[in-house]
Amino acid sequence: MRRRSSEVLPNPSLVNSSNTKKIVYATHFTVFLYATCYWIQIGVMPYLTRKLGANTTMFGYLQSVFAFVQLCGGPFFGRFGDLFGGKYALLLAAFSSVSTYGLMSIASSVPLLFLSRLVSVAMHTMQGSQMVITSITTDEERAAGIGRLGISYGIGMVVGPLLGGFLTDKFSEQAAAFAAMIGSAAMVVVVFIFVPKHFKECTEKSRKKSVSNDSVFDMKKYISIFQLPNFTYLFVIKTISSFPIGVFQAMFSVFTMDYFHLSAKENGIVLSYVGITGMIVQGLCTDFLTRRFSESMLIKYSVAVLAASNFLLIFVTNIYAFVIVLVPLITSGSVFTVIITSLVTKSVSSQDTGAALGLSMASNSFIRTVTPMIGGVLYSLFGFPLFGLLGLFVNGLLTFYLFFYGRNSFVNEEKN
């Protein structure tokens, strides 16, 4: 196979060396800090908005603004990482987090909360971490490497809600946001000290081209990625399947508070349970499954289990049944997400993995932009069971398509 002159290769000074382990550990710790801070504010935000006099609809608007800002920033953040390296991308994400949580910590009005959403435009630490892991792993190790990030994220998802609930209970919602700001500042220190500037070794032609022609805002680059059939296929099925999940996630803290009548502390416990389950699945089950089954098969059965889990969700009436149904829901969703993300990085050349991950993440951000308003309206009109009906309908139809018309293999058009 002939290698293109512009291809970017893993840096031989990093791969299979002691430096690689140091980078991996630093990346995992960064993900842990990010997840801890993120889930502190996720658990606190509904209570903070209510404390400042906002209703459920206004909470939905806040969620939509946050997602829209991330939608705008995600693809450019990915391209920024391709051009300037993972170190500077992660530093940019960390500073964005510090600004977001810092504004939350001094919020005394709803407009200030909206302002805190606007500065989150570059808060894409998970995306930056996936870029780092992609740069130092082979295609065969990719899914497992990305999946293991879920362990660190899951630990943070356990610690974050518990810490946020404790700080809110003992002090205030703003105090919890301040703790998230301090954790984000720690991310800056870790990335600055332990993450190197570059992970990829470029040919001379590629290096000259990056300096003279490439731009973070080069729209032709994004269009060329969408012209790759594998990427477009993955992007579409991810967007379709993730829509009902997005509606469910957007209203999660609302219906645990209103439908299951949980306090901030109890809501934190449930979110920690979600984190533990996701951590086990992404850290252990994904590696086991990818060694034994093809990626296309895992996508098909993950979507099928999602449909079945949403069917069970229709009949949930108490918190105990809810946490049981969450197990297959989280398991199938986690496997689906890891496999899709891994395939996305394989569907493009290695110099464009950041931009591809950014576009893929933009799908999540787009869904989070529209689902809070949709979820708020649907919840007000039809109640909690509608979330299960929506997931059953969408993923049921997608399951039918994947089993009868979906792809059975993924060959990288860009590399072959």
Side-chain angles (χ1 to χ4, degrees), residues 24 62 82 147 186 190 197 201 216 250 253 282:
V24 170
L62 277 167
D82 285 335
V190 171
K197 293 181 180 179
E201 181 183 47
V216 172
S253 292
Q282 294 191 50

Side-chain angles (χ1 to χ4, degrees), residues 32 36 39 61 88 93 106 128 142 156 161 169 177 183 185 206 256 259 280 301 316 324 333 346 354:
F32 162 73
T36 300
W39 284 97
Y61 291 152
Y88 293 116
I106 61 173
R142 188 75 43 78
D169 186 51
S206 176
T256 55
Y259 187 73
I280 294 172
Y301 282 98
V316 168
I324 292 174
K346 299 176 187 178

Side-chain angles (χ1 to χ4, degrees), residues 17-71:
S17 70
S18 59
N19 289 335
T20 303
K21 289 185 178 181
K22 186 185 297 183
I23 296 168
V24 170
Y25 292 149
T27 304
H28 276 264
F29 189 60
T30 300
V31 169
F32 162 73
L33 289 173
Y34 164 73
T36 300
C37 300
Y38 179 79
W39 284 97
I40 285 176
Q41 68 98 23
I42 285 292
V44 165
M45 182 60 79
Y47 300 91
L48 181 57
T49 54
R50 183 161 294 185
K51 176 182 178 180
L52 297 178
N55 56 22
T56 302
T57 303
M58 188 62 67
F59 174 75
Y61 291 152
L62 277 167
Q63 297 289 81
S64 294
V65 169
F66 176 69
F68 178 75
V69 169
Q70 293 235 303
L71 168 64

Side-chain angles (χ1 to χ4, degrees), residues 77-115:
F77 176 87
R79 190 61 183 154
F80 179 89
D82 285 335
L83 296 177
F84 299 102
K87 181 187 186 81
Y88 293 116
L90 285 174
L91 283 173
L92 180 63
F95 279 118
S96 183
S97 297
V98 170
S99 302
T100 297
Y101 303 138
L103 286 171
M104 276 185 66
S105 69
I106 61 173
S108 57
S109 64
V110 174
L112 202 53
L113 283 181
F114 275 100
L115 181 59

Side-chain angles (χ1 to χ4, degrees), residues 181-340:
M181 183 190 73
I182 297 300
S184 298
M187 283 169 48
V188 175
V189 176
V190 171
V191 172
F192 185 80
I193 295 175
F194 295 106
V195 178
K197 293 181 180 179
H198 301 289
F199 301 92
K200 301 173 182 179
E201 181 183 47
C202 306
T203 63
E204 187 63 27
K205 289 184 179 180
S206 176
R207 191 175 287 109
K208 289 180 179 179
K209 180 182 177 182
S210 296
V211 172
S212 61
N213 296 325
D214 285 356
S215 167
V216 172
F217 303 102
D218 182 9
M219 300 309 296
K220 290 182 180 179
K221 173 60 66 177
Y222 303 113
I223 293 172
S224 68
I225 292 174
F226 269 112
Q227 290 174 340
L228 299 173
N230 275 349
F231 178 85
T232 303
Y233 175 84
L234 294 167
F235 183 89
V236 170
I237 63 172
K238 175 186 177 182
T239 303
I240 293 173
S241 180
S242 298
F243 177 75
I245 298 174
V247 175
F248 179 80
Q249 290 178 337
M251 301 304 297
F252 188 92
S253 292
V254 173
F255 63 67
T256 55
M257 181 170 55
D258 292 341
Y259 187 73
F260 296 119
H261 307 293
L262 301 185
S263 66
K265 186 175 181 180
E266 291 168 334
N267 184 52
I269 294 173
V270 174
L271 288 173
S272 296
Y273 167 80
V274 172
I276 292 172
T277 306
M279 176 179 62
I280 294 172
V281 172
Q282 294 191 50
L284 303 176
C285 297
T286 302
D287 192 12
F288 174 82
L289 292 172
T290 53
R291 293 177 185 275
R292 289 161 176 79
F293 304 101
S294 68
E295 292 161 322
S296 61
M297 182 178 294
L298 289 174
I299 289 175
K300 292 174 183 178
Y301 282 98
S302 294
V303 176
V305 175
L306 274 174
S309 302
N310 278 280
F311 173 74
L312 296 175
L313 196 64
I314 298 171
F315 305 100
V316 168
T317 57
N318 59 70
I319 190 62
Y320 303 105
F322 179 64
V323 296
I324 292 174
V325 174
L326 280 179
V327 174
L329 193 66
I330 295 169
T331 300
S332 53
S334 297
V335 172
F336 177 81
T337 300
V338 170
I339 298 301
I340 290 289

Side-chain angles (χ1 to χ4, degrees), residues 130-161:
Q130 290 171 347
M131 291 164 56
V132 172
I133 295 300
T134 297
S135 298
I136 57 177
T137 56
T138 64
D139 284 356
E140 292 74 19
E141 300 169 335
R142 188 75 43 78
I146 292 174
R148 290 189 193 105
L149 287 175
I151 298 178
S152 301
Y153 187 91
I155 296 173
M157 192 175 174
V158 172
V159 174

